[in-house]
Amino acid sequence: MNVVVFTGGVGGAKLADGLARALDADASLTIIVNTADDFELYGLHISPDLDTVMYTLAGIANPTTGWGIQGDTFQNFEMLERYGVAPWFRIGDRDMATHLLRTQMLRSGATLSQVTHTLASRLGVKPRILPMTNDRVRTVVDTDEGLYAFQEYFVKLRWQPEVRGLIYEGAEEAEPQPEALRAIETADTIIIAPSNLYLSIDPILAIPGMRDALLNASAPVIAVTPIIGGEAVKGPAAKLMRELGVESSAVAVAKHYADFLNGFVLDERDAHLEPHVAALGIGVLTTDTLMHDADSRARLACEVIGFADRLRPERLGGCRLGRPADEQAGTPRRPASLDHSPKL
Ligand code: FO1
């Protein structure tokens, strides 16, 4: 069973972790990660979404923030403050090692994929973590106060400016990571994690070839909602939807991905929205999508794997936690019209 998951940010990393815990030992998990949040600070190349996935799967992520390393210290940060530098981006002392090594390897000609593979394997991470591209792509946020680089909007300004639009600078010229394209082509299940649709998933889809790969994939493509009850579980997703003139609902997220989606995982608090998602010709699984701990991450992952299994002609199972809970609760709605053949 080959599973591919698209992710960015903290929420997506949790589902990736759940999949790593839930999948059978003989299953392969490939995690395609947004790198448009990357930026240079103090001459260091920082890849927040790659690091969040890597630390989460290595079991060392800060459980409160989701980013950075659990128990990290900030002596370096405090010394910078002593020099009068007012850093708004808090880099821990252990986290700093990642940025130092990544920057050194990139400078000696390694690709971002090679760097990520080296760092992740040295942390004992088994699943393959792939940047969406090895090229430079940066999200620029067009707001009522002007253009901001992503981290300035997200961290320094705590995503308060009103957003008019998003620019994925460099996306058109970027090459999709070749292993990522092959992983999509050979996948049995493809999952869009509950990440921010505009800030984490769209930058990946903006890379030429990525969206087509999903449209031509023979595997069922399932998205897990990042919106519950019209609000984001974490971060600016709902605020961005409203600012961009889109209804901040799970249905709007399903619509956003509709052209390549076979299934959508709705949170049980939004069960009343099922018919609206099904009306898009998309299968619906309704369940508790909140992931508070390792068990709930693995349970959700297992339900998504089970849901995909039922949207594919051949049964591949794949979840080592035994039968996913939702199978006992009957099968999810699946519109008759739905087939898994490549989307036209
Ligand atoms: N997010 C914050 O809100 N404040 C920070 O000081 C901060 C530091 C930081 C350091 C390393 C890293 O990998 C991520 C960090 N993040 C911080 C999170 C980061 O901005 C977001 O995780 C992504 O860019 C959006 O998903």
Side-chain angles (χ1 to χ4, degrees):
M1 151 83 86
N2 298 324
V3 180
V4 170
V5 57
F6 281 57
T7 180
V10 170
K14 287 181 179 171
L15 184 64
D17 187 39
L19 288 163
R21 292 169 185 275
L23 283 171
D24 289 336
D26 61 355
S28 81
L29 176 60
T30 300
I31 307 165
I32 300 173
V33 186
N34 167 48
T35 56
D37 291 2
D38 287 16
F39 76 132
E40 281 75 31
L41 189 64
Y42 314 123
L44 298 174
H45 182 121
I46 296 171
S47 299
D49 285 356
L50 284 169
D51 292 347
T52 295
V53 170
M54 184 171 74
Y55 293 156
T56 302
L57 268 72
I60 60 170
N62 177 323
T64 320
T65 57
W67 47 264
I69 294 172
Q70 183 167 25
D72 208 344
T73 52
F74 291 84
Q75 316 270 327
N76 175 279
F77 184 84
E78 282 150 26
M79 194 62 194
L80 284 168
E81 286 184 313
R82 194 162 159 198
Y83 279 121
V85 174
W88 42 266
F89 195 82
R90 294 170 56 81
I91 299 179
D93 299 319
R94 295 197 188 99
D95 190 25
M96 184 62 84
T98 306
H99 313 312
L100 291 174
L101 264 188
R102 172 182 288 121
T103 303
Q104 184 194 47
M105 291 177 72
L106 288 172
R107 284 214 183 110
S108 28
T111 64
L112 188 56
S113 302
Q114 288 162 339
V115 171
T116 306
H117 175 70
T118 302
L119 296 176
S121 11
R122 290 194 186 155
L123 288 180
V125 174
K126 295 276 177 296
R128 196 169 40 157
I129 302 176
L130 298 177
M132 63 190 194
T133 177
N134 288 321
D135 299 322
R136 179 192 168 86
V137 178
R138 295 288 181 270
T139 296
V140 174
V141 187
D142 184 2
T143 78
D144 54 345
E145 301 161 13
L147 297 178
Y148 285 117
F150 177 80
Q151 293 299 345
E152 197 171 359
Y153 159 77
F154 191 82
V155 177
K156 188 175 181 186
L157 303 170
R158 295 190 316 284
W159 41 272
Q160 292 316 299
E162 194 151 320
V163 174
R164 298 267 180 278
L166 294 159
I167 302 141
Y168 307 125
E169 212 171 62
E172 275 109 58
E173 299 75 42
E175 280 290 306
Q177 214 281 5
E179 289 174 68
L181 287 184
R182 267 195 307 284
I184 296 165
E185 282 153 21
T186 57
D188 299 301
T189 299
I190 300 169
I191 299 164
I192 309 292
S195 303
N196 188 307
L197 58 168
Y198 303 120
L199 300 180
S200 296
I201 304 300
D202 277 358
I204 304 177
L205 301 176
I207 310 284
M210 278 294 187
R211 182 178 280 271
D212 286 346
L214 288 179
L215 286 166
N216 300 324
S218 55
V221 182
I222 315 269
V224 178
T225 186
I227 300 286
I228 300 177
E231 290 310 321
V233 176
K234 180 184 172 85
K239 177 176 179 285
L240 280 168
M241 293 176 92
R242 290 190 285 269
E243 290 167 355
L244 295 173
V246 177
E247 179 199 49
S248 63
S249 76
V251 181
V253 178
K255 275 188 190 141
H256 191 76
Y257 297 141
D259 54 342
F260 55 73
L261 219 46
N262 296 107
F264 189 77
V265 182
L266 200 55
D267 188 85
E268 57 199 12
R269 299 156 190 82
D270 284 330
H272 60 289
L273 297 178
E274 263 191 38
H276 301 281
V277 179
L280 299 170
I282 296 171
V284 189
L285 169 71
T286 300
T287 188
D288 178 5
T289 62
L290 283 176
M291 296 178 276
H292 331 273
D293 54 21
D295 290 346
S296 49
R297 294 177 186 184
R299 176 199 46 77
L300 178 61
C302 199
E303 288 185 19
V304 175
I305 292 297
F307 180 27
D309 220 21
R310 288 190 303 286
L311 294 177
R312 192 193 314 107
E314 63 284 1
R315 289 285 176 276
L316 300 174
C319 182
R320 70 159 156 246
L321 303 183
R323 283 160 49 79
D326 67 292
E327 275 200 331
Q328 284 117 25
T331 52
R333 285 176 71 99
R334 186 177 183 287
S337 64
L338 191 79
D339 64 22
H340 81 290
S341 56
K343 298 129 195 99
L344 302 176

